[in-house]
Amino acid sequence: MPKKDRARIDYMPGQAAFDALTLASEKYPNMRPQALIDKLLITGLCALHWKPPSLYGADRDRWQLPEQFRKVQEGADD
């Protein structure tokens, strides 16, 4: 999308948001601040839609990771 077609959003972050941006810049030192803000915003939106797995009952030995993670774990044994 050309820059002239993008909406500019100015904001004044709270201290916690500023601290999070500082920590993210340490984790991703090669990213520009705007790219970090985009990454954090998109990741945060995805996290809001995340549904934790159902872990019913008190028998922790019967609890299982969601299938998508079990596949990763089983593949790591190869």
Side-chain angles (χ1 to χ4, degrees):
M1 175 185 301
K3 282 188 176 184
K4 65 180 181 70
D5 295 335
R6 293 183 191 173
R8 179 167 178 90
I9 301 171
D10 291 323
Y11 77 105
M12 180 60 68
Q15 189 59 49
F18 186 73
D19 293 345
L21 188 57
T22 300
L23 290 171
S25 68
E26 292 172 4
K27 184 171 179 149
Y28 301 102
N30 296 326
M31 292 185 82
R32 296 182 331 270
Q34 186 60 57
L36 278 173
I37 291 169
D38 292 353
K39 184 180 199 74
L40 292 172
L41 183 65
I42 293 166
T43 301
L45 178 62
C46 292
L48 289 173
H49 290 278
W50 180 72
K51 181 181 177 217
S54 299
L55 303 173
Y56 296 111
D59 184 0
R60 294 181 5 238
D61 292 329
R62 295 188 65 200
W63 292 354
Q64 293 185 352
L65 289 174
E67 187 175 339
Q68 68 192 50
F69 295 112
R70 282 184 277 163
K71 290 178 182 177
V72 170
Q73 185 179 22
E74 292 167 1
D77 293 339
D78 293 340

